[in-house]
Amino acid sequence: MHFIGLALGLGAATVLDLLVLRFLIRGKITQDHWKVFKFGSKVVNWGLILLWATGLGFLTYYGAFDPAKLGNEKIWAKMTIVLILTINGGFIHSVILPRVKKQIGRSIMEGLPSSHRSVFVVSGAISAVSWYVPMMLGALPQLNFSVPMGTILLAYATLLGSAILFAHALLFVVPTGRTEDASEEDVVLSAKFA
């Protein structure tokens, strides 16, 4: 179940990040596109809920039957990153998604002040990095009991900082006022996911 939660959240978050990138580059957001964003965000939520439920289940199991595993600092680093992911997810649902809905009929960044565009890309960078790093940590048992939590979180912060810088660089490269209509193929593809 833990892997299913990760797969659901990571997969849907990746699709949503790619959609945002696509609309950052070109195209207007349509009602059908908004439905894809809304559905994808629900899948991400359920993935995150499953991740928390099973992760806390593992901690409870370790506490009861294998307390030595609670000394693995990698587990606590993953929990910290998933907490950051959860806070960011709450922000996305309360601030970003309502703003995306208001952009229907326009490009995703059209008419937004630079501070709002910055918030969009920072939140997206946090989402992308914070889904992939726990997956990578889970795939690297060599880090168990050997790498301190601080080192893992420093590597995470470095990746996150790099992603935020890259995302901001995109803001300078991609024109924000472009509102080219989405192709008929884009609308049909988006409708299939709604």
Side-chain angles (χ1 to χ4, degrees):
M1 289 298 277
H2 193 69
F3 183 73
I4 291 171
L6 180 63
L8 281 173
L10 177 67
T14 300
V15 168
L16 290 175
D17 287 343
L18 291 172
L19 278 173
V20 167
L21 185 60
R22 181 248 186 259
F23 288 110
L24 183 66
I25 294 170
R26 69 176 185 91
K28 291 180 182 178
I29 297 175
T30 66
Q31 191 66 36
D32 287 336
H33 296 128
W34 165 246
K35 289 177 185 175
V36 174
F37 277 104
K38 191 174 174 184
F39 176 75
S41 68
K42 287 179 183 177
V43 173
V44 170
N45 274 350
W46 281 108
L48 198 53
I49 289 168
L50 263 174
L51 203 58
W52 272 110
T54 55
L56 292 173
F58 282 132
L59 290 178
T60 303
Y61 177 83
Y62 296 156
F65 301 107
D66 198 357
K69 286 190 177 175
L70 292 175
N72 183 2
E73 292 191 36
K74 183 180 90 168
I75 290 172
W76 300 108
K78 283 173 60 176
M79 293 293 288
T80 302
I81 294 166
V82 173
L83 178 62
I84 292 167
L85 179 65
T86 303
I87 293 167
N88 188 60
F91 179 78
I92 287 171
H93 283 271
S94 63
V95 176
I96 302 292
L97 286 176
R99 186 63 194 165
V100 169
K101 186 176 183 180
K102 287 181 181 178
Q103 291 298 103
I104 292 173
R106 303 190 305 175
S107 71
I108 201 160
M109 297 290 183
E110 183 182 344
L112 294 180
S114 60
S115 61
H116 290 194
R117 292 193 307 265
S118 180
V119 168
F120 265 59
V121 298
V122 167
S123 186
I126 291 170
S127 176
V129 172
S130 299
W131 275 107
Y132 278 94
V133 168
M135 181 201 60
M136 290 185 300
L137 289 172
L140 293 170
Q142 301 86 343
L143 301 180
N144 290 344
F145 300 100
S146 63
V147 180
M149 178 178 167
T151 303
I152 294 169
L153 291 178
L154 180 62
Y156 165 74
T158 302
L159 282 171
L160 187 56
S162 299
I164 289 170
L165 287 174
F166 176 76
H168 275 96
L170 279 178
L171 289 179
F172 292 107
V173 174
V174 177
T176 59
R178 191 170 174 188
T179 59
E180 176 182 313
D181 287 325
S183 70
E184 194 65 36
E185 181 181 312
D186 289 336
V187 173
V188 170
L189 180 61
S190 295
K192 287 182 182 178
F193 288 106

